[in-house]
Amino acid sequence: MKKWEENIRRVVPYTPGEQPDIPGMIKLNTNENPYPPAPGVRRALREMKEESFRLYPDPACSVLTEALARRYNRPKEQFFAGVGSDDVLAMAFLTFFNSKRPILFPDITYSFYPVWAELFGIPYERPALDEEFRIVKEDYERENGGIIFPNPNAPTGLYMELAEVEDIIRKNPDVIVIVDEAYVDFAGPSAIELVDRYDNLLVVQTFSKSRSMAGMRIGFAVGNPCLIRYLNDVKYSFNSYTMSRAALELGAEAVKDEAYFQKNIKKLTATRERTKKELKALGFRFPDSGANFIFASHESCPAKEIFEALRRRQIYVRYFDAPRLHNYLRITVGTDDEMDALLKALKEITAR
Ligand code: PMP
């Protein structure tokens, strides 16, 4: 080891899903939306003047936070925007989890949480999900330095009713509770409606799933203006120009088209429900997903074998080689045609 290596911050990074680019492949491994963004995004992209790229973007991200404020019918001071929800969540960890007491998040959840906790030196504990992969809300009633969980959870897809989410927030008035709602638009009511009642709540959402804009990297947080100011203080201590001019403008455009948004969600959830039925008929079981993916296990065929057999057919799904997860596949809901191809392949693979 070189002497200088002693001074290096060494971390175990998060592993993102693969991004293969093979003609004809079916990509169901990173929970992207199979449909294009709202038509207004295309129009705005065409009208965008590269001349404007000479100038820095607005560090306050105002066009986007104002569009969000209109969409959710609340003050713009309650919004914070960032480079995908990963950026927003990382800033939130750094800002709100600054206690010697451990923060809490489930043992099975978004695998970025322990990575940020390690990176920022935040102590953490991971209460176990129950036998059916549900979050046990009573586990979040002990002393802690903050709480974060996704709703729906990932990679299980299970949505927790808002009354239970509210219970966790209410029982933890002295710490910040972050609800990561990356998939909530496919599931049920958002905790955003609780923001006015609980000053310790931060809700984080993304444009990557329900708004079909994973490649543009847009995420946001909603919380009381005091929390948002604290978040901005950390952001401005780190990188003031996080979001590009293109992301700000195109994101604002996407939020304006509510009809397209609703149509996109309706189409996707209909495909998800149909896929659930057909997977069941093929011998798969899964938690009842409220997300744009299904976390499925076959009654006799090991997940790893299915994963590899699908891959040979250029159908990409996500496999996690981890305790309790190793016999499951996380399958993103694609178009109806993609699901038909997947189901046909699964039928052949599992019949062997
Ligand atoms: N939270 C959860 C639970 C996720 O699954 C993801 C997607 N990887 C994210 C946050 C981050 O998404 P993005 O950075 O694209 O907004």
Side-chain angles (χ1 to χ4, degrees):
M1 193 161 99
K2 300 262 194 199
K3 189 77 184 149
W4 48 256
E5 279 191 272
E6 287 171 18
N7 298 328
I8 287 177
R9 186 189 309 279
R10 277 181 283 181
V11 291
V12 181
Y14 169 76
T15 317
E18 298 176 77
Q19 294 296 347
D21 190 9
I22 300 160
M25 71 170 176
I26 296 183
K27 190 171 179 307
L28 307 172
N29 68 332
T30 49
N31 298 342
E32 288 138 334
N33 193 307
Y35 303 111
V41 172
R42 181 178 209 192
R43 210 177 314 123
L45 186 59
R46 286 200 174 141
E47 286 167 9
M48 203 170 282
K49 302 260 185 298
E50 73 276 12
E51 168 64 14
S52 69
F53 296 165
R54 218 169 42 74
L55 304 170
Y56 281 106
D58 168 22
C61 305
S62 299
V63 276
L64 182 59
T65 53
E66 280 162 18
L68 286 165
R70 276 193 297 276
R71 159 65 170 78
Y72 290 95
N73 197 23
R74 40 185 62 251
K76 70 171 193 302
E77 292 73 23
Q78 291 186 348
F79 291 84
F80 173 90
V83 187
S85 52
D86 281 343
D87 179 49
V88 176
L89 289 165
M91 298 271 181
F93 265 64
L94 199 50
T95 311
F96 301 119
F97 297 159
N98 190 31
S99 162
K100 293 200 168 36
R101 288 186 285 273
I103 62 163
L104 305 177
F105 51 83
D107 64 337
I108 296 172
T109 193
Y110 187 30
S111 51
F112 225 137
Y113 299 163
V115 175
W116 286 315
E118 294 284 344
L119 178 63
F120 301 139
I122 302 163
Y124 59 97
E125 285 173 12
R126 313 188 63 170
L129 299 184
D130 73 9
E131 283 302 298
E132 263 126 36
F133 287 133
R134 281 185 305 240
I135 290 175
V136 182
K137 72 177 166 53
E138 291 74 22
D139 288 345
Y140 296 80
E141 290 174 13
R142 59 182 189 238
E143 205 184 37
N144 65 75
I147 291 172
I148 178 160
F149 56 90
N151 194 33
N153 195 9
T156 63
L158 277 178
Y159 173 75
M160 190 196 279
E161 291 305 323
L162 206 51
E164 287 187 57
V165 173
E166 182 169 2
D167 233 28
I168 295 178
I169 302 162
R170 188 179 335 112
K171 295 210 165 107
N172 288 279
D174 298 335
V175 297
I176 303 302
V177 178
I178 303 176
V179 184
D180 174 358
E181 293 190 333
Y183 304 100
V184 80
D185 294 327
F186 305 109
S190 160
I192 290 179
E193 65 184 69
L194 303 177
V195 158
D196 296 325
R197 262 183 287 150
Y198 298 95
D199 60 6
N200 62 325
L201 167 65
L202 190 81
V203 181
V204 177
Q205 292 196 5
T206 179
F207 281 44
S208 299
K209 321 292 177 183
S210 55
R211 297 193 185 274
S212 304
M213 292 180 82
M216 209 18 85
R217 311 303 300 127
I218 305 170
F220 64 97
V222 193
N224 80 78
C226 176
L227 289 191
I228 300 301
R229 277 196 301 276
Y230 281 125
L231 255 182
N232 271 311
D233 286 346
V234 167
K235 165 184 148 166
Y236 286 115
S237 309
F238 198 81
N239 173 6
S240 24
Y241 302 110
T242 50
M243 299 189 73
S244 71
R245 281 178 169 266
L248 290 173
E249 262 184 58
L250 302 181
E253 208 48 55
V255 178
K256 286 182 197 158
D257 197 339
E258 187 61 22
Y260 183 85
F261 173 73
Q262 297 295 348
K263 201 174 77 186
N264 191 333
I265 296 210
K266 213 166 146 196
K267 221 164 25 174
L268 203 122
T269 49
T271 307
R272 177 187 72 201
E273 294 310 307
R274 166 178 86 87
T275 306
K276 282 182 190 172
K277 279 197 197 112
E278 300 195 33
L279 283 174
K280 220 171 254 174
L282 289 177
F284 284 90
R285 60 198 161 78
F286 40 83
D288 190 20
S289 173
N292 68 335
F293 56 83
I294 300 167
F295 191 56
S297 176
H298 191 260
E299 60 194 6
S300 60
C301 197
K304 191 147 195 268
E305 275 177 34
I306 304 176
F307 170 74
E308 281 159 5
L310 286 173
R311 210 182 146 87
R312 283 193 291 276
R313 292 162 203 242
Q314 291 180 357
I315 300 177
Y316 292 83
V317 298
R318 189 93 191 248
Y319 175 70
F320 301 93
D321 196 2
R324 280 185 82 187
L325 308 184
H326 65 269
N327 206 22
Y328 283 83
L329 297 171
R330 193 195 65 191
I331 304 165
T332 304
V333 177
T335 61
D336 276 310
D337 286 351
E338 287 173 329
M339 293 295 104
D340 287 341
L342 168 85
L343 291 161
K344 181 166 171 283
L346 287 176
K347 192 170 181 182
E348 289 164 14
I349 294 163
T350 56
R352 274 190 270 133

